[in-house]
Amino acid sequence: MAMEQEEIQTAPARRRRRGMYILPSVFTSINIGFGYYAITQSLQGSLADPSHFNRAALAIGLAIPFDALDGRIARMTNTTSDFGKELDSLADVITFGVAPSILAWSWGFRTLHLLNSDAYQQLIALGTFISFLFLICGASRLARFNISVNPSPSNPGRPDRKYFVGCPIPAAAGALASVVQFFQGSPIYQWWWALVWMIFVVSVGLLMVSRWRFWSGKEINLSNRHPFQTMILIAVVIALVLLYHRWTLIIIALGYLSSGLLARLAYRPRRAGLRGA
């Protein structure tokens, strides 16, 4: 009888435990849903109706906080699992690899086919390859991250959990999406802007596979005894996004990309001094 009562008492606890394991996967599934929606909207966008491109960019942007939350929730509830890690990695490939690469091609190159000439056709073909290159760089970044043990950046200073080695794929995808969203989805149809977009997409892709350091944000901890400063900063950022989303998002995205370059440039004189010594 005592054993039966104990089993009855522990049954709800087991169910709650299973529910806690499901919770991070729910956030990951929402992440995948945003990626799928972004893909469908990118394929529907056109010069006549650019709102689809804008929706695709917003979907990619909305997926970023869900990607950040699923891992944090799993660690906070002690429900990390190999299944969750694999699902999260696949979600990143879809939402931050496939979706932004299709958006980059549809928004930046596909509309050029309205002007019939061999040069434009070649530019579209090159844009297709560039968009694919972004996807390959993102997938390679994720593969390296999954197999790396304490990776060391080229400009480490004191490497720790505060830094990523290479630009994380959500930030790279967010950078592309922020540009599209800044122009409210109005696609590129002039060849010189297509060239600028091509250079930007390539540069962001190469930053992902670089060994430069980028801030990870992992030291942010709202469970501290006095998290007021962090909470105020987050509230200010959210308010700016809501009020001035076009400018705020692109400034944050480009600022984050620039941080890796600035860190690299700052470390170069120090490294030259160490070699000279």
Side-chain angles (χ1 to χ4, degrees):
M1 181 66 68
M3 292 182 62
E4 291 179 356
Q5 291 179 348
E6 184 178 351
E7 290 180 357
I8 293 173
Q9 292 175 354
T10 56
R14 286 198 297 268
R15 286 195 294 269
R16 286 194 299 269
R17 186 66 175 173
R18 286 196 295 268
M20 295 303 291
Y21 271 99
I22 293 173
L23 185 59
S25 297
V26 170
F27 278 79
T28 306
S29 299
I30 295 174
N31 181 2
I32 297 174
F34 277 124
Y36 179 75
Y37 178 78
I39 292 171
T40 59
Q41 291 299 304
S42 296
L43 296 177
Q44 295 180 65
S46 64
L47 280 171
D49 189 3
S51 62
H52 292 288
F53 293 128
N54 196 41
R55 295 190 196 114
L58 289 175
I60 293 172
L62 289 172
I64 294 176
F66 283 92
D67 176 69
L69 286 173
D70 60 1
R72 284 183 177 268
I73 291 174
R75 289 188 292 270
M76 288 172 60
T77 57
N78 195 26
T79 54
T80 56
S81 64
D82 292 336
F83 172 81
K85 293 178 182 178
E86 294 299 326
L87 183 64
D88 181 66
S89 184
L90 291 173
D92 287 350
V93 171
I94 296 170
T95 305
F96 305 125
V98 177
S101 65
I102 292 177
L103 177 60
W105 172 75
S106 298
W107 182 79
F109 306 108
R110 190 183 66 181
T111 51
L112 295 176
H113 80 281
L114 297 176
L115 302 174
N116 295 319
S117 70
D118 292 338
Y120 277 103
Q121 294 301 323
Q122 293 175 3
L123 187 60
I124 293 171
L126 184 58
T128 302
F129 171 74
I130 293 300
S131 302
F132 174 72
L133 182 64
F134 177 89
L135 173 59
I136 289 298
C137 289
S140 300
R141 167 69 175 82
L142 287 170
R144 187 181 69 184
F145 178 79
N146 290 341
I147 65 173
S148 296
V149 179
N150 296 324
S152 178
S154 297
N155 52 338
R158 293 183 178 179
D160 53 26
R161 66 193 300 268
K162 291 172 58 178
Y163 300 106
F164 288 120
V165 177
C167 180
I169 188 171
L176 300 191
S178 69
V179 174
V180 176
Q181 200 273 331
F182 180 78
F183 291 101
Q184 297 180 317
S186 298
I188 292 173
Y189 60 91
Q190 297 171 319
W191 66 269
W192 55 85
W193 280 118
L195 290 177
V196 173
W197 179 241
M198 191 180 300
I199 294 172
F200 181 73
V201 173
V202 170
S203 300
V204 175
L206 294 178
L207 284 177
M208 285 192 288
V209 294
S210 71
R211 297 196 64 84
W212 299 0
R213 70 177 180 183
F214 289 82
W215 179 60
S216 69
K218 292 182 179 180
E219 75 274 16
I220 296 177
N221 187 5
L222 296 179
S223 62
N224 290 335
R225 181 175 297 180
H226 301 290
F228 303 112
Q229 294 179 347
T230 303
M231 293 179 66
I232 291 173
L233 178 61
I234 293 174
V236 169
V237 171
I238 292 175
L240 289 174
V241 169
L242 293 176
L243 295 174
Y244 312 102
H245 56 278
R246 290 177 58 203
W247 286 99
T248 302
L249 292 176
I250 198 169
I251 289 173
I252 291 174
L254 298 183
Y256 185 80
L257 293 181
S258 301
S259 67
L261 177 61
L262 293 176
R264 178 68 175 179
L265 294 175
Y267 180 69
R268 180 171 293 179
R270 190 193 317 171
R271 183 174 59 179
L274 291 175
R275 287 179 178 176

XYZ file of all heavy atoms in Angstrom, residues 13 27-28 42 45 52 56 119 150 160 167 169-170 200 219 259:
116
model
N 4.794 14.382 -10.466
C 6.142 14.948 -10.567
C 6.809 14.511 -11.868
O 7.478 15.302 -12.531
C 6.990 14.507 -9.374
N 9.822 26.139 -27.884
C 10.444 27.370 -28.362
C 11.232 27.114 -29.643
O 11.210 27.942 -30.566
C 11.358 27.949 -27.283
C 10.633 28.743 -26.244
C 9.953 28.121 -25.216
C 10.620 30.127 -26.294
C 9.271 28.848 -24.251
C 9.949 30.876 -25.339
C 9.270 30.230 -24.318
N 11.913 25.975 -29.714
C 12.646 25.632 -30.933
C 11.701 25.419 -32.102
O 11.986 25.830 -33.233
C 13.493 24.369 -30.705
O 14.331 24.543 -29.561
C 14.373 24.084 -31.903
N 9.227 35.047 -48.661
C 10.283 35.459 -49.590
C 9.959 35.046 -51.016
O 10.217 35.788 -51.969
C 11.623 34.850 -49.166
O 12.027 35.334 -47.908
N 7.267 37.415 -52.556
C 7.563 38.826 -52.711
C 7.846 39.216 -54.153
O 8.318 38.407 -54.967
N 5.639 41.205 -48.689
C 6.032 39.833 -48.370
C 7.493 39.780 -47.914
O 7.834 39.035 -46.988
C 5.824 38.926 -49.581
C 4.385 38.722 -49.943
N 3.525 37.942 -49.189
C 3.645 39.204 -50.965
C 2.326 37.934 -49.734
N 2.365 38.694 -50.818
N 8.897 38.542 -44.263
C 9.948 37.529 -44.139
C 11.070 38.024 -43.230
O 11.575 37.280 -42.373
C 10.498 37.181 -45.519
N 23.859 40.588 -69.287
C 24.577 41.027 -68.095
C 23.728 40.845 -66.850
O 24.219 40.400 -65.805
C 24.994 42.489 -68.245
N 35.943 24.295 -26.306
C 36.701 25.476 -25.909
C 37.453 26.095 -27.088
O 38.681 26.204 -27.083
C 37.700 25.128 -24.794
C 36.993 24.675 -23.534
O 35.931 25.167 -23.190
N 37.601 23.717 -22.853
N 36.809 33.380 -23.050
C 35.934 32.744 -22.077
C 34.555 32.675 -22.688
O 34.364 32.919 -23.883
C 35.941 33.503 -20.746
C 35.624 34.987 -20.925
O 34.951 35.332 -21.903
O 36.064 35.783 -20.079
N 31.109 35.012 -36.120
C 29.798 35.615 -35.920
C 28.737 34.529 -35.832
O 28.662 33.658 -36.711
C 29.481 36.558 -37.073
S 27.872 37.364 -36.948
N 25.300 32.533 -36.271
C 24.409 32.551 -37.432
C 23.125 33.352 -37.187
O 22.639 33.999 -38.122
C 24.112 31.110 -37.901
C 23.347 31.126 -39.229
C 23.377 30.314 -36.847
C 23.205 29.755 -39.856
N 22.536 33.388 -35.971
C 21.359 34.251 -35.803
C 21.670 35.727 -36.032
O 20.853 36.448 -36.613
C 20.934 33.981 -34.353
C 21.483 32.642 -34.033
C 22.782 32.584 -34.757
N 27.875 42.739 -49.367
C 27.439 42.670 -47.977
C 27.127 41.229 -47.571
O 27.540 40.768 -46.493
C 26.205 43.548 -47.780
C 25.678 43.559 -46.372
C 26.353 44.232 -45.364
C 24.507 42.883 -46.042
C 25.884 44.241 -44.065
C 24.025 42.887 -44.743
C 24.709 43.568 -43.754
N 26.871 36.208 -20.289
C 27.045 36.621 -18.895
C 25.852 37.411 -18.374
O 25.795 37.718 -17.183
C 28.327 37.456 -18.753
C 28.228 38.870 -19.292
C 28.537 38.931 -20.780
O 28.526 37.862 -21.422
O 28.786 40.032 -21.289
N 31.560 45.008 -34.317
C 32.293 44.743 -33.082
C 33.397 43.707 -33.299
O 34.479 43.809 -32.715
C 31.331 44.262 -31.989
O 30.783 42.990 -32.309
